[in-house]
Amino acid sequence: MSEAVAGRRARGGGGAARRAERTAVSVETAKFIERNIPVYEMLNEEALEIIERNAETVLAEIGVNVVDNPAALDRWREAGAEIEGERVRIPRGLARQLCATAPSRYTQHARNPARNVEIGGNTLVTAPVYGPPFVRDMEGGRRYATMEDFRKFVKLGYMSKWLHMSGGTVCEPTDIPVNKRHLDMLYAHMTLSDKPFMGSVTEASRAQDSVDMCGILFGEQFVQENTVMTSLINVNSPLTFDDVMMGALEVYAKNNQACIISPFIVGGAMAPVSVVGTLTQVLAEVMAGVAYSQLVRPGAPVIFGAFVTSIDMNSGAPTFGTPEASHILYGAGQLARRMNLPFRSGGALCGSKLPDAQAAYESAHTLNAVLMGGVNFMLHSCGWLEGGLVAGFEKFVMDADQLGVLHNMARGVQYDENGQAMDALREVGPGGHFLGCAHTQKNFKDAFWRTELLDYKPFETWDEEGARDTMTLANLRMHRMLDTYQQPILDQSITEALDDFVAKKKASMPDAFM
């Protein structure tokens, strides 16, 4: 591939591409959310100081394990940590000092610049479900995910107005070898959508493949100077950093790509049952992970992550939408803001097997906490079922519709002259109605958020149309979206270069399903 091709940004270059772009169907995507409402501060100053002090104690006296990664141990030793075998004890203040070089906000670039997102500060960016090995829809029920399922989710994400990112492993395509499926997933995100996406983290070499493919899509120099991926690095809670996740973190930090340092905690199993005890562990793990990213490359973008759920003490199953999980989300948001870091948490989380009332209640509780808790990056925004084991097509469409509520809530209340509506009050006066007044006629199109899914028809109309429930409506909408999908324009030379890269990579290794 020539330097000219490698350096070209995917803007629909070439005359044929520009002509096709003029005739393509435009897919509307809302800008990332900017909050004009206050966040909820649940913990007082005393509680926050206790958590911060205890987290420093955990790092200094208990320490964290860094497994199968001698180079990481050497980095920590050089930075001043005490190393005993694979145990790393970090002196008080050192981790926080190292974290200070991480940016408080960064831009993640999409191949379509109109889809760029700002992560940090008062923003909220939504990304779809991540990681389920199973999928579910009304036609096929619950089944192992395939690459075709994955492509359908990417298309739905591209066409969803309120979803800002294409995501990462929206489902795990089990019909593709483990060591090669990351190539197909990245290729789908790059070619079937023009929204921002996430990279592979299942091995350091796969993270490097992600960087290399982005070099083809964006240009190698652009990738080194800008962030084009935000990828998920889960801490192996409690207090353990394995070589797989840390290897991916090292690749991304070295190449100026963003990582979410996210403890993966089921309260009572991988952390204490108390809110403050769990927050102490979360903070300790995040500080150690963020600090390490800055040892690799000071200034590398990174997000303070917190994925925390409670546990059913009878069955051992994780539970979602609980008050305790919201308490932890609110508290973690406060801790992240005190560290001046972007914050990841939440999602449309539920334990339900179907997109039913349980799913709606549990998802809504967390979505509301996300908005009020100051989350900047929300993974699992749509499609999550069965505790994350299943990506649901109907649930994806239902959740994506409800993300519009968050956009409208975040705008806050307008109190300018139009918002005061004194002209309407004067025009209508006592005993009248506002349906036909000038103010209503001027504002009715944008006055209220409007669903593109839920049914508000009169009973008689609803009954005549088949008395369809929300799952049925979501299924119909899902099929309409897929039927009308049009692939966003991408320069042919870039597509060919990606094809060549994927083909050569696959040919270089035998299939592996473990």
Side-chain angles (χ1 to χ4, degrees), residues 32-289:
F32 55 87
I33 294 173
E34 294 181 272
R35 288 180 182 83
N36 291 314
I37 58 175
V39 295
Y40 182 57
E41 304 280 342
M42 175 168 284
L43 300 177
N44 62 24
E45 183 68 20
E46 180 184 10
L48 292 167
E49 290 178 355
I50 287 171
I51 293 166
E52 290 171 339
R53 183 170 62 250
N54 288 349
E56 294 280 5
T57 299
V58 168
L59 293 178
E61 298 181 10
I62 301 171
V64 298
N65 279 356
V66 176
V67 179
D68 296 328
N69 195 337
L73 295 174
D74 289 341
R75 281 195 179 98
W76 274 118
R77 184 181 291 108
E78 292 171 8
E82 175 191 333
I83 310 299
E84 182 182 350
E86 293 186 326
R87 183 67 58 89
V88 177
R89 293 182 174 86
I90 306 170
R92 291 181 183 276
L94 176 59
R96 189 171 287 269
Q97 176 187 340
L98 292 169
C99 292
T101 58
S104 60
R105 181 171 175 147
Y106 67 92
T107 299
Q108 181 175 342
H109 293 263
R111 70 173 176 94
N112 177 353
R115 317 283 200 219
N116 291 354
V117 292
E118 301 286 335
I119 299 174
N122 67 338
T123 71
L124 170 57
V125 172
T126 60
V129 63
Y130 185 106
F134 300 100
V135 297
R136 174 184 283 279
D137 59 25
M138 289 182 67
E139 289 83 10
R142 185 185 192 269
R143 61 189 186 279
Y144 278 106
T146 66
M147 194 60 217
E148 183 56 29
D149 291 318
F150 187 95
R151 294 188 187 98
K152 287 180 179 178
F153 277 122
V154 172
K155 293 175 181 178
L156 290 173
Y158 169 64
M159 298 188 72
S160 296
K161 177 180 179 179
W162 309 112
L163 193 64
H164 308 123
M165 294 191 68
S166 189
T169 309
V170 287
C171 64
E172 192 77 38
T174 58
D175 58 335
I176 307 293
V178 170
N179 60 332
K180 300 178 180 181
R181 64 181 60 157
H182 68 288
L183 300 166
D184 293 297
M185 290 190 283
L186 280 163
Y187 184 86
H189 284 303
M190 291 178 173
T191 59
L192 300 180
S193 175
D194 62 5
K195 294 183 179 182
F197 53 85
M198 305 172 73
S200 176
V201 296
T202 52
E203 195 177 87
S205 65
R206 297 167 196 166
Q208 187 61 54
D209 287 342
S210 304
V211 173
D212 293 343
M213 289 178 72
C214 283
I216 297 171
L217 183 66
F218 292 95
E220 292 178 5
Q221 183 176 350
F222 189 89
V223 170
Q224 293 304 312
E225 296 174 353
N226 300 274
T227 299
V228 299
M229 284 181 289
T230 297
S231 301
L232 178 63
I233 304 298
N234 279 130
V235 180
N236 194 354
S237 303
L239 302 170
T240 301
F241 293 82
D242 62 62
D243 61 317
V244 174
M245 288 285 109
M246 289 301 99
L249 171 62
E250 290 162 4
V251 170
Y252 287 126
K254 178 183 176 182
N255 289 280
N256 195 39
Q257 301 308 304
C259 287
I260 307 165
I261 308 299
S262 196
F264 188 89
I265 289 176
V266 178
M270 294 127 79
V273 295
S274 70
V275 169
V276 169
T278 297
L279 284 171
T280 298
Q281 181 180 317
V282 166
L283 180 58
E285 292 177 351
V286 169
M287 283 200 298

Side-chain angles (χ1 to χ4, degrees), residues 381-397:
S381 296
C382 52
W384 173 290
L385 278 174
E386 204 177 317
L389 288 174
V390 173
F393 283 96
E394 289 85 11
K395 180 69 158 43
F396 191 104
V397 171

Side-chain angles (χ1 to χ4, degrees), residues 414-454:
Q414 301 300 312
Y415 51 88
D416 57 6
E417 183 176 349
N418 184 65
Q420 294 172 43
M422 288 301 296
D423 54 338
L425 291 166
R426 288 192 175 96
E427 179 184 342
V428 174
H433 67 76
F434 292 83
L435 292 175
C437 76
H439 185 270
T440 300
Q441 294 300 309
K442 175 184 175 183
N443 290 281
F444 77 92
K445 290 184 178 179
D446 303 314
F448 308 121
W449 174 76
R450 296 180 64 186
T451 180
E452 294 184 338
L453 174 67
L454 304 182

